[in-house]
């Protein structure tokens, strides 16, 4: 294949592209904080990609740019080859941020259906039921968030993020508040959900093991101003069993990635 043909195949295959993204914030006193220095990478259609990097390096900022909650100072973000605001206005984006709590006065079924209400899109109740089943919450449709465990609430918010059939799913540390056992369960759950739908997914996490277990590729960001330190291909076959976490290859990759996170330039806040 010549280079031109290769490039066009690649472009068709690209779900999200970051080209030379710089993001600075104005601070009080006229100072400037550069969060993202020069970030470029692509996410392929249907890919599960994780972003890891030192605390405060700009991971959430990167997601906010895709979700059109902020704009880059320099560079271009494209989602499905279009400006992020176009996808957002068409509700093609599913978002589960850690701080996106469920509404306490709505039942689980109403919380999951909420994006339909908010966007004026009619969502088939059968579809809501299917999603509740998909995340393993059958029987809890009429429960209120306070009656659910932390993990169950996270699963409900993942169901909610999928209700409008998004092209792209953005997850910002969705399991950060969970204990190790629950987190492991949620990782298995998320792998199952992703393999059923293969929606392009971008996960931000501090968990190297979580990133290795779930991702096709892992993008390692450096400390602020963040750039891409490396992009690691994750070689494990799918579907993945948790037993891969006990293999030598998993441990080696885990060590390598942890090393990168703590290499000179990382800010040590982690
Ligand atoms: N609206 C804003 N105004 C000023 N500074 C901001 C703003 N949003 C983010 N920042 C700064 O940009 C940097 C990157 O923030 P961001 O939240 O993207 O980091 P992060 O990698 O997600 O961190 P963590 O791992 O702790 O969640 C931080 O230093 C933060 O203080
Ligand atoms: Mg963050």
């Amino acid at each position: 294949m010549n280079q031109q043909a290769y490039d066009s195949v690649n472009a068709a295959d690209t779900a999200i592209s970051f080209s030379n993204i710089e993001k600075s914030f104005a601070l009080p006193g006229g100072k400037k904080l550069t969060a993202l220095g020069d970030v470029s990478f692509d996410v392929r259609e249907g890919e599960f990609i994780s972003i890891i990097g030192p605390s405060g390096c700009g991971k959430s900022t990167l997601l906010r740019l895709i979700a059109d909650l902020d704009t880059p100072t320099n560079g271009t973000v494209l989602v499905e080859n279009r400006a992020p605001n176009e996808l957002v206005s068409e509700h093609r984006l599913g978002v589960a941020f850690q701080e996106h709590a469920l509404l306490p006065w709505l039942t689980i079924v109403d919380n999951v259906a909420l994006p339909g209400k908010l966007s004026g899109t009619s969502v088939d109740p059968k579809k809501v039921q299917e999603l509740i089943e998909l995340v393993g919450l059958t029987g809890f449709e009429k429960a209120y968030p306070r009656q659910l465990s932390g993990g169950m609430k996270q699963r409900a918010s993942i169901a909610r993020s999928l209700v409008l059939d998004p092209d792209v799913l953005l997850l910002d540390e969705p399991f950060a508040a969970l204990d190790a056992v629950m987190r492991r369960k949620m990782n298995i759950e998320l792998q199952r959900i992703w393999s059923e739908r293969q929606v392009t997914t971008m996960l931000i996490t501090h968990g190297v093991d979580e990133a290795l277990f779930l991702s096709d590729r892992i993008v390692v960001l450096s400390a602020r101003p963040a750039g891409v330190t490396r992009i690691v291909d994750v070689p494990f076959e799918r579907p993945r069993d948790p037993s891969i976490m006990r293999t030598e290859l998993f441990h080696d990759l885990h060590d390598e990635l942890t090393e990168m996170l703590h290499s000179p330039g990382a800010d040590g806040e982690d």
Side-chain angles (χ1 to χ4, degrees), residues 168-189:
V168 173
L169 186 60
L170 304 176
L171 305 170
D172 192 352
E173 301 195 49
F175 311 134
L178 305 181
D179 68 48
V181 175
M182 186 50 80
R183 202 182 168 112
R184 176 84 40 112
K185 279 193 189 152
M186 288 300 300
N187 286 167
I188 296 166
E189 204 80 20

Side-chain angles (χ1 to χ4, degrees), residues 25 27 33 35 54-61 173 206 224:
F25 296 101
L27 294 180
L33 181 147
S55 184
C57 74
K59 301 179 294 299
S60 297
T61 302
E173 301 195 49
H206 280 277
R224 213 176 48 235

Side-chain angles (χ1 to χ4, degrees), residues 63-235:
L63 276 205
R64 291 173 58 81
L65 298 178
I66 309 175
D68 194 40
L69 295 166
D70 214 333
T71 49
T73 311
N74 276 307
T76 315
V77 182
L78 291 177
V79 192
E80 316 259 283
N81 285 315
R82 296 190 296 160
N85 64 347
E86 294 182 34
L87 265 95
V88 171
S89 63
E90 291 168 17
H91 313 287
R92 313 291 328 142
L93 222 59
V95 179
F97 288 173
Q98 195 196 344
E99 66 271 23
H100 266 228
L102 302 171
L103 298 181
W105 58 88
L106 292 182
T107 60
I108 294 310
V109 74
D110 289 341
N111 263 294
V112 172
L114 187 67
K117 275 229 170 74
L118 293 179
S119 64
T121 317
S122 71
V123 178
D124 185 350
K126 250 198 283 175
K127 167 116 188 263
V128 174
Q129 191 55 46
E130 271 169 27
L131 281 170
I132 287 179
E133 229 163 85
L134 182 73
V135 300
L137 286 176
T138 313
F140 291 91
E141 293 82 352
K142 296 282 174 230
Y144 287 89
R146 66 173 181 278
Q147 297 169 302
L148 266 53
S149 73
M152 290 161 93
K153 280 186 267 203
Q154 295 290 5
R155 281 185 270 158
S157 73
I158 288 175
R160 183 178 60 180
S161 69
L162 291 169
V163 80
L164 295 179
D165 266 327
D167 292 343
V168 173
L169 186 60
L170 304 176
L171 305 170
D172 192 352
E173 301 195 49
F175 311 134
L178 305 181
D179 68 48
V181 175
M182 186 50 80
R183 202 182 168 112
R184 176 84 40 112
K185 279 193 189 152
M186 288 300 300
N187 286 167
I188 296 166
E189 204 80 20
L190 182 57
Q191 179 185 227
R192 186 177 60 77
I193 294 168
W194 175 83
S195 46
E196 280 188 22
R197 316 201 130 217
Q198 301 245 324
V199 45
T200 308
T201 302
M202 194 158 143
L203 170 77
I204 291 182
T205 179
H206 280 277
V208 171
D209 47 355
E210 180 168 282
L212 276 170
F213 180 64
L214 289 167
S215 315
D216 295 312
R217 290 186 302 155
I218 301 173
V219 176
V220 186
L221 294 182
S222 64
R224 213 176 48 235
V228 176
T229 301
R230 236 181 92 184
I231 299 180
V232 175
D233 279 305
V234 180

